[in-house]
Amino acid sequence: AQSVTQLGSHVSVSEGALVLLRCNYSSSVPPYLFWYVQYPNQGLQLLLKYTSAATLVKGINGFEAEFKKSETSFHLTKPSAHMSDAAEYFCAVSEGTGFQKLVFGTGTRLLVSP
Amino acid sequence: EAGVAQSPRYKIIEKRQSVAFWCNPISGHATLYWYQQILGQGPKLLIQFQNNGVVDDSQLPKDRFSAERLKGVDSTLKIQPAKLEDSAVYLCASSLESAANYGYTFGSGTRLTVV
């Protein structure tokens, strides 16, 4: 079964600082990988996805992620954090052939201080 | 395009009571998912429908949970009887097809508290 590991349940940064949220996956085949963001009392919103095209994927709100097969990683970055980026971030990997589903990590809460 | 609609937004029930959640996916989306998100954890798939057929319910506690998707559109998820550990947010998502590259759209969820 596919799985993802998100290192760090909480990450704290100052406004304007680099954001780095880590995700490592385990997959026996080339995976599809996703990052979702969840604001309080809301559902999950897709930030970006990797579907075996370019290894550097750009998403919404200035976020991007790089697929590194040698490191089995798909870390999420943003050059400069905004207060509005404070939320929970989930990494997910697709699983299954034919009928696919998403398997999520445990999430990382991003805290942004002024 | 209207999003995935879920109701109710919040529900508080006593243990051993029953509860039902409703989901209306995006029009034309063939695939519908119910996820359970316990506080501090990532969402866990409970059941996946393709049109009105179940394609994966391996993690659905079938002794107390049931779900249906009549006519391949709306879906309901029921818990009977509820336990304290069922307290969670129940998320519904839909997708044009089940292939992951289509992406999933999530609803806002139903927060269930069992007391």
Coordinates of all heavy atoms in Angstrom, one line a residue, chain A residues 46-110:
Chain A
L46 N -7.1 22.0 -3.1 CA -5.9 21.5 -3.8 C -4.9 22.7 -4.0 O -5.3 23.7 -4.6 CB -6.3 20.9 -5.2 CG -5.1 20.4 -6.0 CD1 -4.5 19.2 -5.3 CD2 -5.6 20.0 -7.4
L47 N -3.7 22.5 -3.6 CA -2.6 23.5 -3.8 C -1.9 23.2 -5.1 O -1.7 24.1 -6.0 CB -1.6 23.4 -2.7 CG -1.9 24.2 -1.4 CD1 -0.7 24.0 -0.5 CD2 -2.0 25.7 -1.8
L48 N -1.5 21.9 -5.3 CA -0.8 21.5 -6.5 C -0.8 20.0 -6.6 O -1.0 19.3 -5.6 CB 0.6 22.1 -6.5 CG 1.5 21.9 -5.3 CD1 2.1 20.5 -5.2 CD2 2.6 23.0 -5.2
K49 N -0.4 19.5 -7.8 CA -0.3 18.1 -8.0 C 0.8 17.7 -8.9 O 1.1 18.5 -9.9 CB -1.6 17.5 -8.5 CG -2.1 18.1 -9.8 CD -3.4 17.5 -10.2 CE -3.9 18.0 -11.5 NZ -5.2 17.5 -11.9
Y50 N 1.4 16.6 -8.7 CA 2.5 16.0 -9.6 C 1.9 14.8 -10.3 O 1.4 13.9 -9.6 CB 3.7 15.6 -8.8 CG 4.7 14.8 -9.6 CD1 5.4 15.4 -10.6 CD2 4.7 13.4 -9.5 CE1 6.3 14.6 -11.4 CE2 5.6 12.7 -10.2 CZ 6.4 13.3 -11.2 OH 7.2 12.5 -12.0
T51 N 1.9 14.9 -11.7 CA 1.3 13.7 -12.4 C 2.3 13.3 -13.5 O 1.9 13.0 -14.6 CB -0.1 14.1 -13.0 OG1 0.1 15.3 -13.9 CG2 -1.1 14.4 -12.0
S52 N 3.5 13.2 -13.2 CA 4.6 12.7 -14.0 C 5.0 13.6 -15.2 O 5.6 13.1 -16.1 CB 4.3 11.3 -14.5 OG 3.3 11.3 -15.4
A53 N 4.6 14.8 -15.1 CA 5.1 15.8 -16.1 C 6.4 16.4 -15.5 O 7.3 15.8 -15.2 CB 4.0 16.7 -16.5
A54 N 6.4 17.7 -15.4 CA 7.5 18.4 -14.9 C 7.7 18.1 -13.4 O 6.8 18.0 -12.7 CB 7.4 19.9 -15.0
T55 N 9.0 17.9 -13.0 CA 9.3 17.6 -11.6 C 9.1 18.8 -10.7 O 8.8 18.6 -9.5 CB 10.7 17.0 -11.4 OG1 11.6 18.0 -11.9 CG2 10.8 15.7 -12.2
L56 N 9.2 20.0 -11.1 CA 8.9 21.2 -10.3 C 7.5 21.6 -10.7 O 7.2 22.0 -11.8 CB 9.9 22.3 -10.6 CG 9.7 23.5 -9.8 CD1 9.9 23.2 -8.3 CD2 10.7 24.6 -10.2
V57 N 6.6 21.6 -9.7 CA 5.2 21.9 -9.9 C 4.9 23.2 -9.2 O 5.2 23.4 -8.0 CB 4.3 20.8 -9.3 CG1 2.9 21.1 -9.6 CG2 4.7 19.4 -9.9
K58 N 4.3 24.1 -9.9 CA 3.8 25.3 -9.3 C 2.3 25.3 -9.0 O 1.5 24.7 -9.8 CB 4.1 26.5 -10.2 CG 5.6 26.7 -10.4 CD 5.9 27.9 -11.2 CE 7.4 28.1 -11.5 NZ 8.2 28.2 -10.2
G59 N 1.9 25.8 -7.8 CA 0.6 25.7 -7.5 C 0.0 27.1 -7.2 O 0.5 28.1 -7.6
I60 N -1.1 27.2 -6.4 CA -1.7 28.4 -6.1 C -1.1 29.1 -5.0 O -0.3 28.5 -4.2 CB -3.2 28.2 -5.9 CG1 -3.4 27.3 -4.6 CG2 -3.9 27.6 -7.1 CD1 -4.9 27.2 -4.2
N61 N -1.3 30.4 -4.8 CA -0.8 31.2 -3.7 C 0.7 31.2 -3.5 O 1.2 31.4 -2.4 CB -1.4 30.6 -2.3 CG -3.0 30.7 -2.3 OD1 -3.6 31.4 -3.1 ND2 -3.6 29.9 -1.5
G62 N 1.4 31.0 -4.6 CA 2.9 31.1 -4.6 C 3.6 29.8 -4.1 O 4.8 29.8 -4.0
F63 N 2.9 28.8 -3.9 CA 3.5 27.5 -3.4 C 4.0 26.7 -4.6 O 3.5 26.8 -5.7 CB 2.5 26.6 -2.7 CG 2.2 27.1 -1.3 CD1 1.2 28.0 -1.0 CD2 3.1 26.7 -0.2 CE1 1.0 28.4 0.3 CE2 2.8 27.2 1.1 CZ 1.8 28.0 1.3
E64 N 5.1 25.9 -4.4 CA 5.6 25.0 -5.4 C 6.2 23.8 -4.7 O 6.4 23.8 -3.4 CB 6.6 25.6 -6.3 CG 7.9 26.1 -5.6 CD 8.8 26.8 -6.6 OE1 8.4 27.4 -7.6 OE2 10.0 26.6 -6.4
A65 N 6.3 22.7 -5.4 CA 6.9 21.5 -4.8 C 7.7 20.8 -5.9 O 7.4 20.9 -7.1 CB 5.7 20.6 -4.4
E66 N 8.7 20.1 -5.4 CA 9.6 19.4 -6.4 C 9.6 17.9 -6.1 O 9.8 17.5 -5.0 CB 11.1 19.9 -6.2 CG 12.0 19.3 -7.3 CD 13.4 20.0 -7.3 OE1 13.7 20.8 -6.4 OE2 14.2 19.7 -8.2
F67 N 9.3 17.2 -7.1 CA 9.3 15.7 -7.0 C 10.8 15.2 -7.2 O 11.4 15.5 -8.2 CB 8.5 15.1 -8.1 CG 8.5 13.6 -8.2 CD1 8.0 12.8 -7.3 CD2 9.2 13.0 -9.3 CE1 8.0 11.4 -7.3 CE2 9.2 11.6 -9.4 CZ 8.7 10.8 -8.4
K68 N 11.3 14.5 -6.2 CA 12.6 13.9 -6.3 C 12.5 12.4 -6.1 O 12.4 12.0 -4.9 CB 13.5 14.6 -5.2 CG 13.9 16.0 -5.5 CD 14.9 16.6 -4.5 CE 15.3 18.0 -4.8 NZ 16.3 18.5 -3.8
K69 N 12.6 11.7 -7.2 CA 12.5 10.3 -7.1 C 13.6 9.6 -6.3 O 13.3 8.7 -5.5 CB 12.5 9.7 -8.5 CG 12.3 8.2 -8.6 CD 12.2 7.7 -10.0 CE 12.0 6.2 -10.1 NZ 12.0 5.7 -11.5
S70 N 14.8 10.1 -6.4 CA 16.0 9.5 -5.7 C 15.8 9.7 -4.2 O 16.3 8.8 -3.4 CB 17.3 10.2 -6.1 OG 17.2 11.6 -5.8
E71 N 15.1 10.7 -3.7 CA 14.9 10.9 -2.3 C 13.4 10.5 -1.9 O 13.1 10.6 -0.7 CB 15.1 12.4 -2.0 CG 16.5 12.8 -2.3 CD 16.7 14.3 -2.0 OE1 15.8 14.9 -1.4 OE2 17.8 14.8 -2.3
T72 N 12.6 10.0 -2.8 CA 11.2 9.8 -2.6 C 10.6 10.9 -1.8 O 9.9 10.7 -0.8 CB 11.0 8.4 -1.8 OG1 11.6 8.4 -0.6 CG2 11.5 7.3 -2.7
S73 N 10.8 12.1 -2.3 CA 10.3 13.3 -1.6 C 9.5 14.2 -2.5 O 9.6 14.1 -3.7 CB 11.4 14.1 -0.9 OG 12.2 14.7 -2.0
F74 N 8.6 15.0 -1.8 CA 7.8 15.9 -2.6 C 7.5 17.1 -1.6 O 6.4 17.3 -1.1 CB 6.5 15.2 -3.0 CG 5.6 16.1 -4.0 CD1 6.1 16.5 -5.2 CD2 4.3 16.4 -3.6 CE1 5.3 17.3 -6.0 CE2 3.5 17.1 -4.5 CZ 4.0 17.5 -5.7
H75 N 8.5 17.8 -1.3 CA 8.5 18.9 -0.3 C 7.8 20.1 -0.9 O 8.0 20.5 -2.0 CB 9.9 19.2 0.2 CG 10.6 18.1 0.9 ND1 10.0 17.0 1.5 CD2 11.9 17.8 1.0 CE1 10.9 16.2 1.9 NE2 12.1 16.7 1.6
L76 N 7.0 20.8 0.0 CA 6.3 22.0 -0.4 C 7.1 23.2 0.1 O 7.5 23.3 1.2 CB 4.9 22.0 0.2 CG 4.0 23.1 -0.1 CD1 3.5 23.1 -1.5 CD2 2.8 23.1 0.8
T77 N 7.2 24.2 -0.8 CA 7.9 25.4 -0.4 C 7.2 26.7 -0.9 O 6.4 26.6 -1.8 CB 9.4 25.5 -1.0 OG1 9.3 25.4 -2.4 CG2 10.2 24.3 -0.5
K78 N 7.5 27.8 -0.2 CA 7.1 29.1 -0.6 C 8.1 30.1 -0.1 O 8.6 30.0 1.0 CB 5.7 29.4 0.0 CG 5.2 30.8 -0.4 CD 3.8 31.0 0.1 CE 3.3 32.4 -0.3 NZ 1.9 32.7 0.1
P79 N 8.6 30.9 -1.0 CA 9.7 31.8 -0.7 C 9.5 32.7 0.5 O 10.4 33.0 1.3 CB 10.0 32.6 -2.0 CG 9.3 31.8 -3.1 CD 8.2 31.1 -2.4
S80 N 8.2 33.2 0.6 CA 7.9 34.3 1.6 C 6.6 34.0 2.2 O 5.5 34.1 1.5 CB 8.0 35.7 0.9 OG 7.7 36.7 1.8
A81 N 6.5 33.7 3.4 CA 5.3 33.4 4.1 C 4.4 34.6 4.4 O 4.9 35.7 4.7 CB 5.5 32.7 5.4
H82 N 3.1 34.5 4.2 CA 2.1 35.5 4.6 C 1.3 35.0 5.7 O 1.2 33.8 6.0 CB 1.2 35.8 3.4 CG 1.8 36.4 2.2 ND1 1.2 36.6 1.0 CD2 3.1 36.9 2.1 CE1 2.0 37.2 0.2 NE2 3.2 37.4 0.8
M83 N 0.8 35.9 6.5 CA -0.1 35.5 7.6 C -1.2 34.6 7.2 O -1.6 33.7 7.9 CB -0.6 36.8 8.3 CG 0.4 37.7 8.9 SD 1.3 36.9 10.3 CE -0.1 36.8 11.5
S84 N -1.7 34.9 6.0 CA -2.9 34.1 5.5 C -2.5 32.7 5.1 O -3.4 31.9 4.8 CB -3.4 34.8 4.2 OG -2.4 34.9 3.2
D85 N -1.2 32.3 5.1 CA -0.8 30.9 4.9 C -1.0 30.0 6.1 O -0.8 28.8 5.9 CB 0.7 30.9 4.4 CG 0.9 31.6 3.1 OD1 0.0 31.6 2.2 OD2 2.0 32.2 2.9
A86 N -1.3 30.6 7.2 CA -1.5 29.8 8.4 C -2.6 28.8 8.2 O -3.8 29.3 8.0 CB -1.7 30.6 9.6
A87 N -2.4 27.5 8.2 CA -3.4 26.5 8.0 C -2.8 25.1 8.2 O -1.6 25.0 8.6 CB -3.9 26.6 6.5
E88 N -3.5 24.1 7.9 CA -3.0 22.7 8.0 C -2.8 22.3 6.5 O -3.6 22.5 5.6 CB -4.1 21.8 8.6 CG -3.6 20.4 8.8 CD -3.2 20.2 10.3 OE1 -3.5 21.0 11.1 OE2 -2.4 19.2 10.5
Y89 N -1.6 21.6 6.3 CA -1.2 21.2 5.0 C -1.1 19.7 5.0 O -0.5 19.1 5.8 CB 0.1 21.9 4.6 CG -0.1 23.3 4.3 CD1 -0.1 24.2 5.4 CD2 -0.3 23.9 3.1 CE1 -0.3 25.6 5.2 CE2 -0.4 25.2 2.9 CZ -0.4 26.1 4.0 OH -0.6 27.4 3.8
F90 N -1.7 19.1 3.9 CA -1.7 17.6 3.8 C -1.0 17.2 2.5 O -1.4 17.7 1.4 CB -3.1 17.0 3.9 CG -3.8 17.2 5.2 CD1 -4.6 18.3 5.4 CD2 -3.6 16.2 6.2 CE1 -5.2 18.4 6.7 CE2 -4.2 16.4 7.4 CZ -5.0 17.5 7.7
C91 N -0.1 16.2 2.6 CA 0.4 15.6 1.4 C -0.3 14.3 1.2 O -0.8 13.7 2.1 CB 1.9 15.3 1.7 SG 2.8 14.5 0.3
A92 N -0.6 14.0 -0.1 CA -1.3 12.8 -0.4 C -0.7 12.1 -1.6 O -0.1 12.7 -2.5 CB -2.8 13.1 -0.7
V93 N -0.9 10.8 -1.7 CA -0.4 10.0 -2.8 C -1.6 9.2 -3.4 O -2.5 8.8 -2.6 CB 0.7 9.1 -2.4 CG1 0.2 8.0 -1.3 CG2 1.3 8.3 -3.6
S94 N -1.6 9.0 -4.7 CA -2.7 8.2 -5.2 C -2.4 6.7 -5.1 O -1.2 6.3 -5.1 CB -2.9 8.5 -6.7 OG -1.7 8.2 -7.4
E95 N -3.4 5.9 -4.9 CA -3.2 4.5 -4.8 C -4.2 3.8 -5.6 O -5.4 4.2 -5.8 CB -3.4 4.1 -3.3 CG -3.3 2.6 -3.0 CD -3.4 2.3 -1.5 OE1 -4.5 2.1 -1.1 OE2 -2.3 2.2 -0.9
G96 N -3.8 2.7 -6.2 CA -4.7 1.8 -6.9 C -4.6 1.9 -8.4 O -4.0 2.8 -8.9
T97 N -5.0 0.9 -9.0 CA -5.0 0.9 -10.5 C -6.5 0.8 -10.9 O -7.2 0.1 -10.3 CB -4.2 -0.3 -11.1 OG1 -4.7 -1.5 -10.5 CG2 -2.7 -0.2 -10.7
G98 N -6.8 1.4 -12.0 CA -8.2 1.5 -12.3 C -8.9 2.5 -11.5 O -8.9 3.7 -11.8
F99 N -9.5 2.1 -10.4 CA -10.2 3.0 -9.5 C -9.2 3.5 -8.5 O -8.8 2.8 -7.6 CB -11.4 2.3 -8.8 CG -12.4 1.9 -9.8 CD1 -12.7 0.5 -10.0 CD2 -13.2 2.8 -10.4 CE1 -13.6 0.1 -10.9 CE2 -14.2 2.4 -11.3 CZ -14.4 1.1 -11.6
Q100 N -8.8 4.7 -8.6 CA -7.8 5.3 -7.7 C -8.4 6.1 -6.6 O -9.5 6.5 -6.7 CB -6.8 6.2 -8.5 CG -6.0 5.4 -9.5 CD -5.0 6.3 -10.3 OE1 -5.2 7.4 -10.4 NE2 -4.0 5.6 -10.8
K101 N -7.6 6.2 -5.5 CA -8.0 7.0 -4.3 C -6.8 7.7 -3.8 O -5.7 7.3 -4.1 CB -8.6 6.0 -3.3 CG -7.7 5.0 -2.7 CD -8.3 4.0 -1.8 CE -7.3 3.0 -1.3 NZ -8.0 1.9 -0.5
L102 N -7.0 8.6 -2.9 CA -6.0 9.4 -2.3 C -5.7 8.8 -0.9 O -6.7 8.6 -0.1 CB -6.3 10.9 -2.2 CG -6.3 11.6 -3.5 CD1 -6.5 13.1 -3.3 CD2 -5.0 11.4 -4.3
V103 N -4.4 8.7 -0.5 CA -4.0 8.3 0.8 C -3.3 9.5 1.4 O -2.3 10.0 0.8 CB -3.1 7.1 0.8 CG1 -2.6 6.8 2.2 CG2 -3.8 5.9 0.2
F104 N -3.7 10.0 2.5 CA -3.2 11.3 3.1 C -2.2 11.0 4.2 O -2.2 10.0 4.9 CB -4.4 12.1 3.7 CG -5.2 12.7 2.6 CD1 -6.3 12.0 2.1 CD2 -5.0 14.0 2.2 CE1 -7.1 12.6 1.1 CE2 -5.8 14.6 1.3 CZ -6.8 13.9 0.7
G105 N -1.3 12.0 4.3 CA -0.4 12.0 5.5 C -1.2 12.6 6.7 O -2.3 12.9 6.6
T106 N -0.4 12.7 7.8 CA -1.1 13.2 9.0 C -1.2 14.7 9.1 O -1.8 15.2 10.1 CB -0.3 12.6 10.2 OG1 1.1 13.0 10.1 CG2 -0.4 11.1 10.4
G107 N -0.6 15.4 8.2 CA -0.7 16.8 8.2 C 0.3 17.6 8.9 O 1.0 17.1 9.9
T108 N 0.6 18.8 8.5 CA 1.5 19.7 9.2 C 0.8 21.1 9.3 O 0.3 21.6 8.4 CB 2.8 20.0 8.4 OG1 3.5 18.7 8.2 CG2 3.7 21.0 9.0
R109 N 0.8 21.5 10.6 CA 0.1 22.8 10.8 C 1.2 23.9 10.7 O 2.2 23.9 11.4 CB -0.5 22.9 12.2 CG -1.2 24.2 12.5 CD -2.0 24.1 13.7 NE -3.1 23.2 13.6 CZ -4.3 23.4 13.0 NH1 -4.5 24.6 12.4 NH2 -5.2 22.5 12.9
L110 N 0.9 24.9 9.8 CA 1.9 26.0 9.6 C 1.4 27.2 10.4 O 0.3 27.6 10.3 CB 1.9 26.3 8.1 CG 2.8 27.6 7.8 CD1 4.3 27.3 8.1 CD2 2.6 28.0 6.3

